């Protein structure tokens, strides 16, 4: 199996390289279950963040990072945009998104109570990896629709061309691997 060695937040991780389309392979970065990485990355990111009232991430891979960021910042609450409407959600706000990792259209949802919580507040969008930026754009739309003010977008890694963006805060670049067909 092909691997990519990632160095981030003082740690080293060996990521398997997986094919996601006929033309592209990526280094598969999964923070779920990696407590050490979530803790170290959050500690490095926290000093780079603008003043904010709330953190938000999309279900599910950004949850360990946003949880640790909130803990370090002394916050009592952060928000998770759910990927489906849950029975407990009253009057949910819903946005559609297409993600490179799931390769299907998905929903991002907040309950009315969560929407009211961020109304007029400074909100930082958090993710594990920013790739195409579609998930971040959808979360930004969701926050704005709820009446919140997006003060920044942060991730552990910026993948491919996203590393050239000036509007995101990230720790390291993650390359993509185009598949070339030889004839």
């Amino acid at each position: 199996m092909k691997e990519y060695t990632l160095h981030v937040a003082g740690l080293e991780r060996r990521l398997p390289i997986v094919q996601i389309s006929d033309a592209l392979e990526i280094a598969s970065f999964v923070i779920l279950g990696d407590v050490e990485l979530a803790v170290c990355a959050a500690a490095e990111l926290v000093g780079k963040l603008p003043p904010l009232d709330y953190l938000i991430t999309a279900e599910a891979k950004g949850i360990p990072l946003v949880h640790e960021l909130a803990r370090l910042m002394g916050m009592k609450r952060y928000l998770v945009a759910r990927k489906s409407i849950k029975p407990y959600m009253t009057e949910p706000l819903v946005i559609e998104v297409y993600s490179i990792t799931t390769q299907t259209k998905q929903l991002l949802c907040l309950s009315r109570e969560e929407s009211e919580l961020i109304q007029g507040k400074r909100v930082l969008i958090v993710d594990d990896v920013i790739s195409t930026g579609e998930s971040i754009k959808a979360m930004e739309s969701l926050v704005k629709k709820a009446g919140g003010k997006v003060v920044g977008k942060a991730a552990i890694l910026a993948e491919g061309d996203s590393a050239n963006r000036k509007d995101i805060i990230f720790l390291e670049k993650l390359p993509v691997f185009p598949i070339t067909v030889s004839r």
Side-chain angles (χ1 to χ4, degrees), residues 37 44 52-53 55 60 64 67 70 79 88 93-94 104 129 133 146 148 151 153 158 174 178:
L37 184 56
E44 196 167 314
L52 60 102
D53 300 307
L55 299 163
H67 180 91
L79 301 169
Y88 63 80
L93 284 182
V94 180
T104 59
V129 179
V151 294
K153 298 159 244 178
L174 186 63

Side-chain angles (χ1 to χ4, degrees), residues 4-157:
Y4 174 77
T5 302
L6 173 69
H7 296 275
V8 64
L11 303 173
E12 178 180 297
R13 295 295 185 265
R14 299 180 72 79
L15 309 179
I17 296 177
V18 297
Q19 186 171 345
I20 61 165
S21 73
D22 291 340
L24 190 64
E25 293 178 325
I26 63 169
S28 179
F29 177 77
V30 179
I31 192 174
L32 293 173
D34 193 337
V35 175
E36 181 183 40
L37 184 56
V39 168
C40 291
E44 196 167 314
L45 265 176
V46 76
K48 300 174 184 254
L49 303 180
L52 60 102
D53 300 307
Y54 288 100
L55 299 163
I56 187 170
T57 193
E59 187 178 40
K61 291 193 303 177
I63 294 173
L65 178 62
V66 80
H67 180 91
E68 183 61 14
L69 284 169
R71 190 189 70 77
L72 289 173
M73 298 172 78
M75 301 177 84
K76 294 181 180 179
R77 174 120 194 224
Y78 60 85
L79 301 169
V80 177
R82 303 299 301 264
K83 290 192 176 174
S84 63
I85 299 172
K86 304 299 179 192
Y88 63 80
M89 291 181 158
T90 54
E91 302 172 37
L93 284 182
V94 180
I95 299 288
E96 282 190 357
V97 62
Y98 180 83
S99 169
I100 189 172
T101 52
T102 58
Q103 298 183 332
T104 59
K105 275 203 173 186
Q106 295 182 321
L107 301 178
L108 289 179
C109 313
L110 286 178
S111 69
R112 184 191 68 213
E113 293 80 11
E114 292 167 322
S115 298
E116 289 173 353
L117 194 64
I118 63 172
Q119 195 171 52
K121 302 293 185 187
R122 301 168 298 177
V123 181
L124 181 84
I125 297 169
V126 178
D127 209 347
D128 60 335
V129 179
I130 297 175
S131 297
T132 63
E134 291 302 312
S135 296
I136 291 287
K137 191 187 320 181
M139 280 197 285
E140 190 169 13
S141 295
L142 190 63
V143 169
K144 287 179 179 177
K145 189 174 181 180
K149 180 183 181 217
V150 175
V151 294
K153 298 159 244 178
I156 298 170
L157 304 171

